[in-house]
């Protein structure tokens, strides 16, 4: 009797399941008006269109020229939206900013930051708002950035002294590596409050991890497949990067805590308290509405390191590259700084206030070499309409700022390096001019703009003031390599090697 009852119950369940499946098949689903896109293949969708030796932002630009400024791709099962015009960018980052306020986190990104409180990638919500508020008001405020002035001046002096030593021998220097070291040393001191014995190891592993941030695993591409979720774990290299970074960050935080407990003054040398010191103070005071754990501090520190060092290095490298390629621009920029600082053996940040052309050079570099060509991917939080098209919930969103900043519809001679285009113009990178958003816009705009630009202005002015720059023998300006490396930041693939010629000897450190 019990067996018959059980069999009857199972039969009823099976019938109900079959009927529900039939109902779902018979009931017509509303057809979405999706944006146009390239033709797709079964299973892989649009992935075959992205297989190229060219960087992804260039491939997407080519596809957008065929299919329009708002284009839908399918990466396996994953819907992906690509915006390639100011109008599309404005609808996503202003009109519907809240609906696109989440970040897309790939398997590798989740692994690297342990799915923690990284500010850049965590979901929109109260915790994100509190951490961003901390970043804006405590870590990256104008006053905090200004407090790091002496750090930047000291590190610039070290860079100038090293270049002067090389110039005295007539040897060429790998300027890319020297600028990278300058940015890294500066940012470590701003973060920790002093030089750090762990920084070389950390920056090395961070560079490796950074290159994996835009890679997709099969789990990302086929989220509905249990098998793919099992197979699609992060690579061993990514896992090793995560473990090493966590170990180093824990050591940095622990050593900073011990210094505070001893009563050591972390800012004794510079008058500046680093990011770690600020967050440990807030942790001790318990003044935030959310708990600020060591893990949270590590996650915030990780993203500050990644965003701050990589984008500044990339921008500085491309800036010097373009100046070498365009000698008339180099001559004009050098004339400005040498006239402004005539008779000085060293420049301070206060001296920069009178410069105007150098600021235009930096703007033009940010335009033609956008630090993050696709910005940081967003995710649609709820189905909505953009430019008359339906965008399904869960869609990954890329804003191709590289394409927008080179669109001849909005920029005259977009492939030329012309800082003068910003003269007598209100165009700025603060997030309101949608044809020029190197740092993004809306709720998710980069909060570290002032620090990033501040870390390169004095160094660039000093490079132009103290030295003339010559290409190695046999290389013409037209031969300077512009190949971009793979990755979210599109850094220069081939290092810039130049001969520095001392024009105005720098003072000793």
């Amino acid at each position: 009797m019990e067996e018959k009852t059980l069999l009857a119950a199972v039969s009823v369940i099976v019938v109900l399941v079959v009927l529900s499946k039939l109902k779902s098949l018979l009931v017509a689903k509303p057809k979405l008006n999706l944006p146009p896109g390239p033709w797709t293949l079964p299973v892989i969708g649009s992935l075959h269109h992205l297989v190229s030796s060219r960087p992804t932002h260039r491939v997407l630009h080519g596809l957008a020229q065929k299919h329009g400024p708002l284009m839908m791709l399918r990466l396996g099962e994953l819907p992906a939206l690509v915006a390639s015009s100011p109008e599309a960018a404005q609808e996503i980052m202003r009109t519907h900013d809240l609906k696109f306020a989440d970040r897309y986190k790939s398997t590798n990104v989740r692994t690297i930051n342990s799915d923690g409180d990284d500010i850049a990638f965590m979901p929109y919500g109260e915790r994100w708002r509190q951490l961003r508020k901390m970043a804006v008001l405590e870590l990256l405020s104008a006053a905090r950035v200004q407090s790091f002035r002496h750090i930047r001046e000291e590190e610039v002096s070290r860079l100038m002294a090293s270049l002067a030593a090389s110039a005295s021998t007539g040897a060429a220097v790998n300027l890319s590596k020297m600028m990278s070291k300058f940015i890294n040393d500066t940012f470590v001191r701003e973060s920790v409050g002093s030089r750090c014995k762990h920084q070389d190891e950390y920056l090395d592993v961070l560079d490796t991890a950074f290159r994996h941030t835009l890679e997709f695993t099969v789990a990302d591409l086929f989220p509905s497949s249990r098998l793919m979720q099992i197979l699609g774990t992060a690579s061993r290299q990514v896992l090793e990067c995560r473990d090493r970074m966590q170990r180093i960050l824990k050591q940095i935080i622990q050593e900073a805590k011990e210094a505070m407990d001893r009563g050591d003054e972390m800012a004794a040398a510079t008058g500046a308290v680093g990011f770690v010191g600020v967050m440990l103070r807030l942790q001790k005071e318990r003044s935030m509405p959310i708990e600020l754990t060591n893990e949270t501090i590590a996650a915030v520190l990780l993203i500050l390191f990644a965003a701050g060092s990589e984008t500044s290095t990339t921008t500085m490298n491309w800036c010097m590259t373009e100046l070498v390629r365009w000698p008339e621009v180099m001559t004009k920029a050098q004339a400005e700084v040498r006239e402004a600082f005539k008779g000085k053996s060293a420049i301070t940040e206060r001296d920069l206030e009178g410069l105007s052309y150098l600021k235009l050079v930096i703007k033009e570099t940010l335009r033609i070499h956008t630090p993050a060509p696709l910005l940081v991917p967003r995710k649609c939080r709820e189905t909505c309409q953009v430019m008359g098209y339906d965008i399904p919930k869960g869609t990954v969103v890329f804003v191709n700022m590289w394409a927008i900043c080179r669109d001849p519809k909005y920029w005259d001679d977009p492939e030329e390096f012309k800082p003068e285009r910003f003269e007598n113009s209100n165009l700025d990178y603060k997030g309101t001019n949608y044809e020029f958003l190197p740092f993004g816009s809306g709720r998710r705009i980069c909060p570290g703009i002032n620090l990033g630009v501040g870390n390169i202005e004095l160094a660039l002015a000093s490079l132009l003031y103290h030295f003339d720059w010559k290409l190695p023998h046999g290389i013409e300006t037209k031969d300077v390599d512009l190949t971009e490396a793979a990755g979210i930041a599109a850094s220069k693939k081939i290092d810039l090697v130049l001969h520095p010629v001392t024009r105005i000897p720098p003072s000793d450190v």
Side-chain angles (χ1 to χ4, degrees):
M1 187 69 176
E2 291 181 359
E3 291 181 359
K4 291 183 179 180
T5 304
L6 179 61
L7 181 61
V10 170
S11 300
V12 170
I13 293 173
V14 170
V15 170
L16 290 174
V17 169
V18 171
L19 288 174
S20 67
K21 291 291 184 181
L22 288 173
K23 182 180 179 181
S24 66
L25 291 172
L26 292 172
V27 176
K29 294 181 180 179
K31 189 174 182 180
L32 295 176
N33 178 31
L34 299 175
W39 61 279
T40 60
L41 287 173
V43 183
I44 67 170
S46 314
L47 285 173
H48 58 293
H49 294 289
L50 304 182
V51 178
S52 172
S53 58
R54 295 184 301 155
T56 303
H57 55 272
R58 290 179 180 267
V59 176
L60 293 176
H61 174 51
L63 291 172
Q65 288 180 314
K66 297 178 182 178
H67 302 286
L70 199 69
M71 177 176 63
M72 184 67 81
L73 304 174
R74 190 159 291 277
L75 310 179
E77 297 176 349
L78 192 66
L81 181 71
V82 183
S84 302
S85 73
E87 295 80 10
Q90 182 170 348
E91 285 214 28
I92 290 167
M93 294 188 281
R94 181 180 177 182
T95 307
H96 301 295
D97 185 33
L98 185 58
K99 293 177 182 177
F100 293 98
D102 273 354
R103 291 290 193 201
Y104 173 73
K105 297 210 301 190
S106 66
T107 297
N108 284 342
V109 169
R110 289 197 304 271
T111 300
I112 289 168
N113 63 32
S114 299
D115 214 10
D117 297 328
D118 56 275
I119 300 181
F121 288 95
M122 72 182 302
Y124 177 79
E126 182 59 26
R127 187 167 183 81
W128 174 82
R129 284 192 292 269
Q130 292 299 329
L131 287 174
R132 182 178 173 85
K133 182 178 179 181
M134 176 189 72
V136 171
L137 299 181
E138 296 282 357
L139 304 180
L140 300 167
S141 66
R144 185 72 60 197
V145 172
Q146 181 63 20
S147 75
F148 297 144
R149 178 170 61 87
H150 295 298
I151 291 176
R152 292 188 287 269
E153 291 173 352
E154 288 174 12
E155 294 302 329
V156 167
S157 293
R158 294 179 195 277
L159 175 60
M160 295 304 109
S162 180
L163 285 167
S166 296
S168 67
T169 68
V173 299
N174 187 323
L175 190 58
S176 293
K177 287 187 177 179
M178 295 183 77
M179 291 188 296
S180 177
K181 186 178 188 316
F182 157 73
I183 290 292
N184 289 336
D185 288 347
T186 300
F187 203 80
V188 165
R189 289 183 65 186
E190 291 168 340
S191 299
V192 183
S194 62
R195 273 189 163 73
C196 174
K197 64 184 180 183
H198 310 290
Q199 72 181 66
D200 289 340
E201 180 187 2
Y202 183 78
L203 292 168
D204 177 64
V205 69
L206 179 64
D207 179 66
T208 302
F210 202 77
R211 292 197 297 270
H212 292 281
T213 51
L214 269 186
E215 293 179 357
F216 288 93
T217 69
V218 291
D220 299 317
L221 302 177
F222 301 99
S224 70
S225 170
R226 289 188 178 183
L227 177 61
M228 295 304 180
Q229 297 306 303
I230 295 171
L231 297 176
T233 57
S235 68
R236 179 180 297 178
Q237 191 175 33
V238 171
L239 292 169
E240 289 175 353
C241 286
R242 178 200 62 189
D243 294 341
R244 288 176 64 193
M245 285 192 295
Q246 286 182 346
R247 172 177 56 80
I248 296 169
L249 289 172
K250 285 179 181 178
Q251 287 176 319
I252 290 173
I253 294 169
Q254 183 59 35
E255 288 169 9
K257 271 191 171 184
E258 291 171 357
M260 290 180 70
D261 292 340
R262 290 194 305 268
D264 292 358
E265 188 58 54
M266 297 179 68
T270 65
V273 178
F275 300 140
V276 176
V278 173
M279 288 188 283
L280 288 176
R281 172 180 58 80
L282 293 173
Q283 182 190 66
K284 188 174 182 179
E285 293 173 351
R286 299 180 182 274
S287 55
M288 291 187 62
I290 61 173
E291 184 181 7
L292 195 59
T293 64
N294 285 357
E295 289 72 24
T296 298
I297 293 175
V300 172
L301 195 59
L302 185 151
I303 202 64
L304 288 173
F305 266 120
S309 61
E310 183 69 21
T311 55
S312 295
T313 298
T314 296
T315 300
M316 197 170 171
N317 202 3
W318 281 122
C319 189
M320 287 301 295
T321 299
E322 292 292 356
L323 287 172
V324 170
R325 290 185 67 242
W326 299 86
E328 65 277 13
V329 179
M330 172 79 85
T331 299
K332 189 172 181 179
Q334 286 180 319
E336 180 188 52
V337 296
R338 288 172 181 172
E339 178 61 29
F341 310 137
K342 187 183 298 183
K344 293 191 173 188
S345 60
I347 309 172
T348 66
E349 286 201 356
R350 288 195 179 94
D351 298 323
L352 299 178
E353 294 176 4
L355 298 181
S356 58
Y357 193 68
L358 181 69
K359 297 181 187 299
L360 303 185
V361 168
I362 293 173
K363 277 188 177 182
E364 178 69 343
T365 303
L366 291 169
R367 179 195 71 83
I368 203 167
H369 297 289
T370 305
L374 298 174
L375 301 183
V376 182
R378 297 193 180 206
K379 186 171 73 172
C380 185
R381 304 173 72 218
E382 58 181 276
T383 299
C384 62
Q385 281 201 339
V386 174
M387 298 180 71
Y389 293 106
D390 297 320
I391 311 301
K393 178 181 178 180
T395 299
V396 182
V397 182
F398 299 97
V399 177
N400 195 341
M401 193 48 57
W402 181 91
I404 294 172
C405 284
R406 291 177 182 241
D407 191 334
K409 183 178 177 181
Y410 307 97
W411 305 93
D412 295 331
D413 303 317
E415 298 298 326
E416 293 191 15
F417 191 77
K418 293 169 57 175
E420 291 79 7
R421 72 175 76 246
F422 289 98
E423 277 184 328
N424 305 315
S425 168
N426 292 323
L427 277 176
D428 209 341
Y429 43 67
K430 298 301 177 68
T432 56
N433 301 113
Y434 290 88
E435 63 269 49
F436 184 48
L437 298 174
F439 300 103
S441 181
R443 287 171 172 82
R444 289 287 189 167
I445 190 172
C446 173
I449 297 175
N450 291 335
L451 181 67
V453 175
N455 279 348
I456 66 175
E457 277 188 324
L458 180 62
L460 286 172
S462 298
L463 289 172
L464 300 179
Y465 179 69
H466 291 292
F467 302 98
D468 290 332
W469 298 93
K470 295 183 178 180
L471 287 163
H473 180 69
I475 299 180
E476 303 294 330
T477 55
K478 61 182 175 59
D479 300 324
V480 176
D481 193 277
L482 297 178
T483 306
E484 298 158 321
I488 195 172
S491 56
K492 191 174 185 299
K493 186 174 183 178
I494 306 299
D495 287 346
L496 181 64
V497 177
L498 298 173
H499 287 275
V501 179
T502 303
R503 178 73 175 267
I504 300 169
S507 61
D508 294 333
V509 178

